[in-house]
């Protein structure tokens, strides 16, 4: 199904993603995942579609701190899914899913990557990836496009 799903907990960061979709006339289903919690299968699917480290799906807020979760355990996808099944409030939000792609829409503009079918993710995400790698690794950062050609920044 190619209909966009937006998993969210109503709040300010979600409003931005909702507004962006509504401004563009995108039809989507908004799912309040605290009212309708995701099961293990749905969380595993979202994590796979996101293509991120399992830890990236977990909010590190006061609720996380209160649970005294060892951040080192967040590298294990099964443990992250268990944590989110038990404590759904800890899931990063909003999350957009469309077809075989998903994004954590923080910042909200990342939701637009699900609308771009030509080159998913590149328009909004690539500059952030390059900037973060440059910050972390400086001149040691090297990037290659899928073709193998170097990417300059």
């Amino acid at each position: 199904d190619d209909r966009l799903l937006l998993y969210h907990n109503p709040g300010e960061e979600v409003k931005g993603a909702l507004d962006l979709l509504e401004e563009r006339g995108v039809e989507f289903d908004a799912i309040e995942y605290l009212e309708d919690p995701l099961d293990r299968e749905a969380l595993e699917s979202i994590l796979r579609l996101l293509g991120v480290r399992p830890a990236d799906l977990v909010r590190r807020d006061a609720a996380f701190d209160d649970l005294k979760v060892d951040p080192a355990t967040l590298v294990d996808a099964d443990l992250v899914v268990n944590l989110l099944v038990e404590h759904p409030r800890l899931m990063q939000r909003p999350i957009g899913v469309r077809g075989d792609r998903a994004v954590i829409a923080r910042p909200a503009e990342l939701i637009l990557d699900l609308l771009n079918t030509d080159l998913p993710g590149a328009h909004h995400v690539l500059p952030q990836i390059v900037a973060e790698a440059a910050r972390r690794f400086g001149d040691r950062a090297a990037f290659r496009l899928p073709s193998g050609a170097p990417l300059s920044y």
Side-chain angles (χ1 to χ4, degrees), residues 17-139:
L18 288 170
D19 288 346
L20 287 168
L21 293 172
E22 288 171 354
E23 287 168 6
R24 286 161 176 78
V26 176
E27 291 186 17
F28 64 95
D29 294 323
I31 301 166
E32 293 184 22
Y33 68 88
L34 292 180
E35 297 291 323
D36 187 15
L38 298 170
D39 62 18
R40 166 172 290 288
E41 184 179 348
L43 286 165
E44 288 170 345
S45 175
I46 288 171
L47 186 56
R48 186 179 61 258
L49 293 175
L50 285 169
V52 298
R53 299 172 305 153
D56 294 339
L57 191 54
V58 179
R59 291 176 60 91
R60 309 281 182 96
D61 58 10
F64 177 84
D65 293 339
D66 290 346
L67 291 172
K68 308 234 185 296
V69 174
D70 178 2
T73 64
L74 298 180
V75 298
D76 183 291
D78 287 334
L79 293 177
V80 167
V81 168
N82 289 341
L83 177 68
L84 295 177
V85 165
E86 206 169 313
H87 304 281
R89 186 171 299 278
L90 294 181
M91 187 172 85
Q92 277 291 7
R93 58 190 181 259
I95 292 178
V97 176
R98 187 175 195 186
D100 63 353
R101 297 183 292 148
V103 296
I104 298 172
R106 296 183 78 147
E109 291 77 16
L110 291 176
I111 198 70
L112 300 176
D113 289 337
L114 295 178
L115 307 182
N116 180 353
T117 57
D118 296 330
L119 190 55
H123 180 68
H124 298 285
V125 179
L126 188 57
Q128 292 175 348
I129 293 170
V130 171
E132 178 63 16
R135 184 187 70 74
R136 287 186 184 187
F137 306 111
D139 292 335

